[in-house]
Amino acid sequence: AEPLVPTDQRVRTELWPHVTVLSDPSHRLTWQDAMAQRAQFVPPPANSTYANLGPHADTLWLRIPVQMPPQGSDGRWWLVIDYPPLDVAELHLISGKQLIQHALMGDHMLVGHRPAPTLTHSAALHLEPGKSYELFLRVRSASQGALILPKLFRRQVAYKMEVLAKVFNGSYAEFLADRPDECYLTDEFL
C-alpha cells in the first residue's frame, strides 16, 4: 500500500486506502512478529465493505505506512477508530525498527484508563516532519462481530472540536427528550 501523507490542509485523512491486513489465528503474534511478516500483509478483500472487514474469529493486524512531509504539518494527529464495540485495539507506532509509541484500547477498558477519555478508540500521535512511520494495529472482537476499523487520521484541533460537538449534541438531545412538547432553537443555548 502507498504511504499515507498527512498534511494540515486536510482535517481528516482516510486510512483505508493505505491499509494492509495479516490474519493471526493463534492470537499470539507480537508487533515484532507482525513487522517481520510485512510481506505477508495483503490489501483488504476487494468485495469487503469500505473500512469493514466483517466478522472474524482471528486477531487481525493492520499495517499503515505513514510518510510525514518535511513541511506542512505540526505532527499532532489522532488515530481514531470510530467503532466502540471492538474488544481489543492495540496500536504500535514504529519508526525504523524502534517502537515509538504503544497504546492499548478496547471496549473492556474504563474510559478513564484509555489513551483518550472518549467513547471511540483514539490515541494521540506526535509525528516528526520528514520521518517515515508504520502503524501496526492489532484488533480483535471476541464476539466475532464485524471489525469496522480505523477510518480517519484527524488533526488534533479538529478532533477536539468533534468530541465537544458530540458531547453537546448528546446533551442537547437528552434535554429535548425531557421536553417533547416544547420547541427550542440551538442558538438559545449558545
Side-chain angles (χ1 to χ4, degrees):
E2 289 293 314
L4 168 71
V5 182
T7 66
D8 287 357
Q9 287 72 38
R10 292 184 299 203
V11 173
R12 299 175 182 199
T13 301
E14 289 285 336
L15 294 179
W16 196 244
H18 308 280
V19 168
T20 53
V21 181
L22 175 69
S23 183
D24 174 16
S26 72
H27 310 290
R28 292 193 177 121
L29 292 180
T30 65
W31 67 268
Q32 295 97 331
D33 297 331
M35 201 167 89
Q37 295 183 39
R38 277 188 195 98
Q40 310 303 326
F41 280 75
V42 296
N47 62 349
S48 67
T49 305
Y50 191 78
N52 184 342
L53 292 170
H56 275 274
D58 297 352
T59 294
L60 295 180
W61 282 88
L62 279 69
R63 178 183 171 268
I64 303 154
V66 178
Q67 176 60 57
M68 291 302 292
Q71 301 173 343
S73 177
D74 66 6
R76 297 182 313 160
W77 289 83
W78 284 82
L79 173 76
V80 179
I81 304 170
D82 202 2
Y83 186 67
L86 278 178
D87 293 327
V88 175
E90 187 174 3
L91 164 74
H92 300 87
L93 178 63
I94 312 297
S95 183
K97 294 184 178 184
Q98 184 177 3
L99 178 65
I100 303 297
Q101 182 177 346
H102 174 256
L104 182 60
M105 302 163 276
D107 65 1
H108 64 286
M109 295 178 71
L110 297 173
V111 171
H113 293 128
R114 296 179 183 190
T118 61
L119 182 60
T120 60
H121 307 295
S122 308
L125 304 173
H126 302 285
L127 307 172
E128 294 181 35
K131 284 190 95 173
S132 296
Y133 296 92
E134 290 177 284
L135 294 171
F136 284 93
L137 188 63
R138 185 175 70 91
V139 293
R140 184 168 184 209
S141 179
S143 65
Q144 296 183 17
L147 290 175
I148 300 173
L149 296 166
K151 295 182 181 176
L152 300 171
F153 220 41
R154 293 190 175 115
R155 284 189 45 225
Q156 182 159 336
V157 171
Y159 181 63
K160 286 183 177 182
M161 293 298 288
E162 190 169 305
V163 168
L164 288 173
K166 285 182 180 180
V167 168
F168 173 76
N169 286 339
S171 299
Y172 185 58
E174 274 182 36
F175 178 83
L176 292 178
D178 291 341
R179 294 159 181 80
D181 298 328
E182 300 175 33
C183 181
Y184 296 93
L185 299 174
T186 305
D187 62 357
E188 291 178 24
F189 298 95
L190 301 176

